[in-house]
Amino acid sequence: MVFAIFGLVSAVFFVLGVRRDRRRVANAVWLGLTLVAALLWLLTKDDLPWWLDDLLGWAVAVAVLGCGLVLPIALIGNGLLMLRREGRALGNLLSLLAGLAVVGLVVIFLLALDDPRTWVHAVVGSLVIVSAYLAFLFVSLLLYSVLYGKTGRRTGFDAVVVLGSGLLGDRVPPLLASRLDRAAQLYRREVAAGGAPVIVVSGGQGADEAVSEALAMQRWLVAAGVPAEAVLLEDRATTTEENLRYSRAVLDSAGHSGRTVAVTNNYHVFRTAVIARRLRLKMGVIGSRTAFYFLPSAFLREFVAILTRNPVAHTLAGGLLVSLYLLLLY
């Protein structure tokens, strides 16, 4: 009953948070706590139907096996693929490093089982707790990011902001092309509905780029059939925050104050929305498709970025998880 009440309270806070603002990181925490409390409630019930009890047992076994064996192998394999296709940048190493970390934790845990020293058990136990906490936060943010990306307004926009992601010389790479293609789809949909939207292409020029991202994106859109006069350039931004802030300034200067949506890749949607909220911008975010092999490292990178900029949310998560643990002991 205690877990049921905890889960119900968490669910209420989740619903209220979403109604207040879908872009809050705390929403992900409340969602994760609701799911954990619901699982604990089911696991502690003695009167479950036999089929549900067996199903939960299999689910727990599969989860343990998956986290301890399948997950690290998949992450390491993905990391090696990223190295081959995307290069040795730190962001491309995240899935490989995460896989090796899981393998290391499993090995340390198994070795500690046969070690009689108390301090070894204390250290390894602390590592397991910290890892479980980070896993909880990651899964919560991942689930809520997917939920955020699948919901929300999809039509009725007066302006579309396309966030840059880097060029290959003066060419638009596939990652950026997917954003531009999504923006072009939104533009055509609004035109077909009788609207007259504009597209803001946002991105400055990097040291290894022949032109600014904004200019390359404008050329791509015009070649795709979007009228040149419907494309506004913002060619100073070098970060997501600058993309949003400078693009809003471009729209304000051009006299566009209607409903605005930003377009980025699906893995980047929620963090972009969180940044827009922090900047107090009334701007939704829509995602474009990303190559599947790119997602694990990309989501890990987003996870790290969100945690470092939102300490209040994961402090809240830690306190509430401790409360759940104490309830379980009780």
Side-chain angles (χ1 to χ4, degrees), residues 5 13 25 169 183 270 306:
I5 295 173
F13 276 105
V25 176
F270 184 54
I306 289 175

Side-chain angles (χ1 to χ4, degrees), residues 42-43 45-63:
L42 288 173
L43 290 175
K45 283 184 68 67
D46 297 325
D47 55 348
L48 291 176
W50 66 267
W51 60 269
L52 183 54
D53 192 52
D54 287 349
L55 181 62
L56 285 173
W58 279 105
V60 171
V62 169

Side-chain angles (χ1 to χ4, degrees), residues 33-266:
L33 289 169
T34 300
L35 296 176
V36 170
L39 178 60
L40 291 174
W41 174 68
L42 288 173
L43 290 175
T44 53
K45 283 184 68 67
D46 297 325
D47 55 348
L48 291 176
W50 66 267
W51 60 269
L52 183 54
D53 192 52
D54 287 349
L55 181 62
L56 285 173
W58 279 105
V60 171
V62 169
V64 172
L65 180 63
C67 291
L69 181 62
V70 178
L71 178 62
I73 292 175
L75 286 173
I76 291 172
N78 177 259
L80 295 175
L81 181 63
M82 284 290 293
L83 286 176
R84 188 167 70 249
R85 293 190 177 183
E86 303 293 334
R88 297 184 180 181
L90 179 59
N92 299 332
L93 292 172
L94 288 178
S95 57
L96 176 61
L97 294 175
L100 293 174
V102 174
V103 170
L105 181 63
V106 171
V107 171
I108 291 172
F109 178 78
L110 293 176
L111 292 176
L113 291 178
D114 294 328
D115 197 310
R117 291 172 293 182
T118 304
W119 69 267
V120 172
H121 294 171
V123 171
V124 174
S126 300
L127 287 175
V128 171
I129 291 173
V130 170
S131 299
Y133 171 65
L134 291 175
F136 163 79
L137 286 177
F138 178 76
V139 172
S140 298
L141 286 168
L142 176 61
L143 290 176
Y144 189 70
S145 295
V146 173
L147 180 63
Y148 181 92
K150 297 294 184 181
T151 57
R153 177 181 287 271
R154 289 291 184 270
T155 59
F157 303 118
D158 301 296
V160 180
V161 175
V162 188
L163 277 60
S165 63
L167 303 176
L168 296 175
D170 62 349
R171 294 187 298 108
V172 171
L175 196 70
L176 183 54
S178 68
R179 302 183 184 188
L180 293 168
D181 185 60
R182 188 78 170 101
Q185 291 175 10
L186 293 173
Y187 173 84
R188 296 186 188 103
R189 182 185 301 168
E190 297 303 328
V191 170
V198 295
I199 299 177
V200 179
V201 286
S202 176
Q205 182 175 350
D208 59 344
E209 295 171 343
V211 297
S212 70
E213 289 182 76
L215 180 58
M217 288 191 283
Q218 181 197 43
R219 292 171 177 173
W220 193 100
L221 288 170
V222 171
V226 178
E229 60 271 18
V231 183
L232 305 179
L233 273 70
E234 184 293 296
D235 57 4
R236 296 185 297 148
T238 58
T239 65
T240 300
E241 182 172 326
E242 290 179 352
N243 284 141
L244 299 176
R245 188 152 44 88
Y246 294 166
S247 295
R248 183 68 263 173
V250 168
L251 287 170
D252 290 342
S253 298
H256 293 280
S257 58
R259 193 181 300 276
T260 304
V261 65
V263 175
T264 184
N265 286 89
N266 49 12

